[in-house]
Amino acid sequence: MAPPASSGIEEEIAVDRDGYDSSNATKTVCVMDASGHFASALVRRLLLRGYTVHAALHNHGKLQCIEEELINYNEEKKLKVFQADPFDYHSLVNALKGCSGLFYSFEPPSDHSTYDELTAEVETMAAHNVLEACAQTNTVDKVVFTSSLTAVVWNNHRDNPTSHDFDERNWSDVNLCKKFKLWHGLSKTLAEKTAWALAMDRGISMVSINGGLVMGPDVTISNPYLKGAAEMYEDGVMASVDLRFYVDAHICVFEDVSSYGRYLCFNHVINCNEDAMKLARMLLPPSDTSTPPL
């Protein structure tokens, strides 16, 4: 069963980018998993906007690193760091305790950082467990679930040219993802569908953000999103989103009481050779002379 449809985010997000918002001073939210560049940037932004933040990390080894990184943003002691194993229900509930909202994204475990069919199983089970924990936590009013455009764009549209356009109602085809080993798309599709099914069954208010390739400091040619990049480029759906824009989009849909369903989030589409070459130069190391992927 598909969630309610919502329009894509295509215009600049209406969020105050620099000022402190005193109306958020009593709000406590959880960011999970807070170990990645996107999620840690989201933590910093929420702190600057006045939120109290529970930064929940799946990778326990990064606990001290994250605390040291965010120390300058924690002058008012609004940051609390938790260990939250997605397969340890007690740790999830502990991290969510007292929170009115959850920003959830998945980072592959450090001992299995590449995407494959096993990653899809792990990510799907993690999404199920986290949403179940939310259902048992009576303070969580809203969940912002980070998904991906790869959960939208992979289907057999080439067999039906009239269905070439994509919007938030589309889902990637699981069998096609398995056939062509599009593991990132498979993981995001299965995890998001699982989250939606549980959210609707448990009455959880949830919004998903299906983002393009996130252009942050850690993006490289090995990013699993780029599996099938040539086909995405050919189909006109190779899209990217700046890290700051992506962070603000998450906060926007959380703070907007009227937000619902799925949102496609991007602020650039790579649809010409010049853009493709520019992206390739950004992804490849300066000394790499190999042929660009697009």
Side-chain angles (χ1 to χ4, degrees):
M1 181 177 178
S6 296
S7 59
I9 298 177
E10 298 178 1
E11 300 180 354
E12 184 172 355
I13 305 302
V15 175
D16 175 18
R17 293 177 176 270
D18 299 305
Y20 176 91
D21 187 347
S22 60
S23 66
N24 299 324
T26 60
K27 292 184 180 179
T28 300
V29 295
C30 179
V31 176
M32 183 188 306
D33 175 16
S35 62
H37 281 288
F38 157 69
S40 58
L42 177 60
V43 170
R44 291 192 294 270
R45 189 71 181 129
L46 288 165
L47 289 171
L48 286 172
R49 286 185 62 77
Y51 286 89
T52 296
V53 180
H54 290 191
L57 287 86
H58 294 171
N59 185 348
H60 297 178
K62 292 188 178 181
L63 196 63
Q64 183 177 354
C65 176
I66 293 295
E67 287 181 310
E68 292 175 353
E69 178 186 351
L70 297 173
I71 190 69
N72 293 330
Y73 294 85
N74 197 30
E75 294 179 357
E76 298 185 31
K77 308 300 181 185
K78 286 180 172 290
L79 173 68
K80 298 180 181 179
V81 182
F82 294 81
Q83 294 182 352
D85 187 331
F87 301 105
D88 179 352
Y89 184 76
H90 176 74
S91 71
L92 295 175
V93 172
N94 189 45
L96 290 167
K97 190 176 298 181
C99 293
S100 62
L102 167 67
F103 295 87
Y104 177 76
S105 61
F106 177 83
E107 289 287 332
S110 58
D111 60 348
H112 196 90
S113 58
T114 58
Y115 271 77
D116 56 20
E117 199 161 8
L118 175 60
T119 311
E121 295 180 11
V122 172
E123 183 166 357
T124 301
M125 292 174 63
H128 177 278
N129 293 344
V130 170
L131 266 293
E132 185 62 60
C134 285
Q136 302 303 321
T137 307
N138 57 15
T139 59
V140 175
D141 296 322
K142 193 170 190 178
V143 174
V144 179
F145 188 93
T146 303
S147 187
S148 173
L149 283 180
T150 61
V152 174
V153 300
W154 294 120
N155 59 42
N156 291 310
H157 63 274
R158 284 192 171 99
D159 297 335
N160 183 8
T162 62
S163 62
H164 186 71
D165 293 335
F166 296 94
D167 61 25
E168 72 282 354
R169 294 167 294 184
N170 290 99
W171 288 96
S172 289
D173 184 279
V174 169
N175 292 326
L176 183 143
C177 289
K178 289 179 179 179
K179 179 179 179 180
F180 294 102
K181 299 183 178 180
L182 300 164
W183 303 127
H184 189 270
L186 179 68
S187 295
K188 298 305 177 184
T189 302
L190 292 177
E192 189 190 344
K193 282 191 171 185
T194 296
W196 275 117
L198 197 59
M200 289 186 285
D201 184 62
R202 299 289 192 273
I204 300 170
S205 175
M206 189 178 102
V207 176
S208 72
I209 301 283
N210 294 68
L213 175 67
V214 181
M215 301 305 294
D218 62 334
V219 65
T220 67
I221 195 66
S222 61
N223 191 298
Y225 185 103
L226 292 167
K227 173 72 172 178
E231 288 76 15
M232 282 192 277
Y233 173 66
E234 181 181 340
D235 294 339
V237 294
M238 183 61 202
S240 64
V241 58
D242 294 331
L243 178 61
R244 184 69 176 271
F245 186 95
Y246 201 41
V247 167
D248 284 351
H250 280 70
I251 297 174
C252 179
V253 299
F254 177 73
E255 294 182 345
D256 186 350
V257 296
S258 65
S259 64
Y260 72 102
R262 306 169 83 204
Y263 289 84
L264 308 187
C265 183
F266 56 91
N267 57 359
H268 188 61
V269 178
I270 296 87
N271 57 6
C272 68
N273 187 62
E274 182 181 352
D275 288 343
M277 294 299 294
K278 182 179 178 181
L279 176 61
R281 285 192 293 269
M282 293 175 63
L283 297 173
L284 291 167
S287 60
D288 197 324
T289 57
S290 59
T291 304
L294 297 178

